[in-house]
Amino acid sequence: KEVIPEWLLLLKGVIDCPDLPLNVSRSFLQNDGSVKKVSEHISKKVADKLNSLYKSERENYEKYWEDINPFIKFGCMRDDKFYSRVKDILIFKSTNGGYTQLKDYLNRNSGKHKNKVFYISDEKQQAQYIRLFKENDLEALYLDSVIDSHFINFLEMKETDTKFLSIDADISEALKDKEISTKEDKKLEKDLENLFKECLDKKDLKIKVEALKTSDIPAIILQSEQSKRMQEMSRYFGNSISDFHAEETLVLNRKNGLIAKLGELKENKDKKQDVDLICRHIYDLAVMNHKPLGPEQMAEFVKRSNKLLSRLAELES
């Protein structure tokens, strides 16, 4: 490992170097200037080969990328010279299909979210948010390998004007309806916030009301980027960060018919139990699109689902 950089230990081959004696000790390797030069030269040759592949065999380069990108990203974080040599050939899989460079992504989306990069860390769990982006002609990048949570922090240090945001951490302005809110709208928003706060009784949960462009989603859960990264760090250190609570926001879509109906029913005392059930069900559905429910939550969700179906059957009869 003194000869070959640790992030390139997957390399196989022969080094022809007349400056090294046949019998070498670990201490010799660590202290000999020629060894350091060999190590730097290997790193440079790898960077040159990657650049050559990118320019002359782009299709093959993209085909190999899934397998080699963790090593390249690790190399960038370990060796600034290597990063400077390969930064222009770092590519990212996009929701638009194919691969893109970071600078091209930022240029394409500067009119929608300047200097922001929305990324996907879990394609299955974030499926609803991905669909929202695609339906509204927004683009996100896939950063879902084990090393990417660290690589994002690294890129933000290098590209100081650029901010990375998880696709479920913030609502892009492009997803919001630009209609002007009336006094009635603002009153409804306040009433809905109070209604859900009362029904859910979750002190740490933030609740806000937005008018989204799509009307088929009643609510979504957002987790702040800072909270998400703290959670990643907690997992990395074996959950040793005590008293950590994920900072989550329940966003209610006032353009959704069900949410609007709740605004109408909130004053009806005869419907209070139904409204309470629906509010908690909307919250659980939003959570399920964000992360799996815990065992107790799932049991309660199934029980409540059966109760709601029974009430619906009674109404139909």
Side-chain angles (χ1 to χ4, degrees), residues 160-315:
T160 52
D161 293 333
T162 303
K163 180 69 177 172
F164 284 75
L165 289 168
S166 176
I167 199 171
D168 56 2
D170 188 22
I171 295 181
S172 169
E173 289 300 315
L175 289 174
K176 299 177 186 177
D177 199 311
K178 296 296 191 293
E179 65 180 23
I180 299 172
S181 296
T182 63
K183 285 185 178 180
E184 289 76 13
D185 290 334
K186 290 178 180 177
K187 183 181 182 304
L188 175 63
E189 289 174 6
K190 193 65 181 173
D191 289 343
L192 285 168
E193 284 179 27
N194 292 333
L195 174 66
F196 273 80
K197 280 179 183 176
E198 183 183 337
C199 290
L200 299 176
D201 191 27
K202 293 182 179 292
K203 293 179 182 178
D204 295 332
L205 180 68
K206 294 180 180 179
I207 300 172
K208 62 190 293 190
V209 182
E210 297 279 4
L212 303 182
K213 285 184 177 180
T214 182
S215 60
D216 62 342
I217 295 175
I220 58 174
I221 291 283
L222 299 180
Q223 183 180 352
S224 72
E225 185 65 22
Q226 183 181 8
S227 178
K228 183 179 283 288
R229 295 194 193 188
M230 282 292 290
Q231 205 168 42
E232 285 288 333
M233 194 184 300
S234 179
R235 278 199 290 267
Y236 182 73
F237 289 107
N239 296 314
S240 61
I241 301 175
S242 59
D243 301 323
F244 173 73
H245 298 286
E247 187 180 304
E248 294 181 343
T249 302
L250 175 66
V251 179
L252 304 171
N253 180 14
R254 64 177 169 82
K255 291 195 72 177
N256 174 262
L258 181 57
I259 297 296
K261 191 67 177 175
L262 285 174
E264 297 173 15
L265 294 174
K266 62 182 175 17
E267 301 297 342
N268 190 334
K269 292 182 180 179
D270 295 335
K271 296 289 184 180
K272 189 177 186 317
Q273 191 177 8
D274 290 339
V275 169
D276 183 68
L277 284 172
I278 293 169
C279 286
R280 283 187 283 144
H281 215 64
I282 287 171
Y283 171 71
D284 279 354
L285 288 170
V287 171
M288 288 172 74
N289 274 309
H290 177 66
K291 62 183 179 183
L293 291 177
E296 290 183 12
Q297 283 178 291
M298 180 55 76
E300 179 61 30
F301 176 80
V302 172
K303 183 180 177 182
R304 193 187 317 115
S305 297
N306 290 331
K307 187 179 286 188
L308 286 167
L309 289 171
S310 297
R311 286 177 179 270
L312 180 62
E314 287 172 9
L315 289 173

Side-chain angles (χ1 to χ4, degrees), residues 33-191:
S34 298
V35 172
K36 188 176 181 183
K37 288 179 182 178
V38 169
S39 179
E40 290 177 353
H41 185 69
I42 291 171
S43 174
K44 181 181 181 299
K45 293 296 285 184
V46 169
D48 291 345
K49 181 63 176 177
L50 289 169
N51 274 279
S52 172
L53 278 171
Y54 181 82
K55 291 169 185 172
S56 60
E57 299 179 48
R58 181 68 181 269
E59 191 175 327
N60 272 337
Y61 182 84
E62 291 181 356
K63 186 172 71 175
Y64 300 143
W65 184 253
E66 283 297 311
D67 294 325
I68 65 174
N69 81 82
F71 301 98
I72 294 174
K73 290 170 182 175
F74 186 35
C76 288
M77 291 189 285
R78 296 288 294 187
D79 184 346
D80 274 343
K81 286 184 180 178
F82 181 74
Y83 171 70
S84 66
R85 290 177 179 129
V86 301
K87 64 180 181 179
D88 292 330
I89 60 168
L90 294 173
I91 56 176
F92 304 87
K93 191 177 178 182
S94 165
T95 51
N96 285 358
Y99 288 90
T100 183
Q101 290 178 307
L102 189 60
K103 62 181 180 180
D104 293 335
Y105 171 90
L106 289 167
N107 288 336
R108 275 197 305 274
N109 295 284
S110 59
K112 298 170 184 175
H113 43 83
K114 189 175 176 63
N115 294 334
K116 284 184 181 178
V117 178
F118 284 96
Y119 69 91
I120 297 157
S121 56
D122 188 328
E123 185 175 8
K124 289 182 179 178
Q125 200 61 54
Q126 295 171 324
Q128 176 180 258
Y129 305 90
I130 296 170
R131 182 170 65 86
L132 258 178
F133 262 56
K134 287 182 176 180
E135 287 176 353
N136 289 279
D137 196 28
L138 290 172
E139 183 182 6
L141 303 180
Y142 290 88
L143 285 160
D144 50 6
S145 68
V146 175
I147 200 171
D148 280 329
S149 59
H150 305 288
F151 192 59
I152 287 168
N153 292 325
F154 170 80
L155 285 176
E156 284 182 333
M157 287 191 291
K158 293 294 183 182
E159 310 290 335
T160 52
D161 293 333
T162 303
K163 180 69 177 172
F164 284 75
L165 289 168
S166 176
I167 199 171
D168 56 2
D170 188 22
I171 295 181
S172 169
E173 289 300 315
L175 289 174
K176 299 177 186 177
D177 199 311
K178 296 296 191 293
E179 65 180 23
I180 299 172
S181 296
T182 63
K183 285 185 178 180
E184 289 76 13
D185 290 334
K186 290 178 180 177
K187 183 181 182 304
L188 175 63
E189 289 174 6
K190 193 65 181 173
D191 289 343

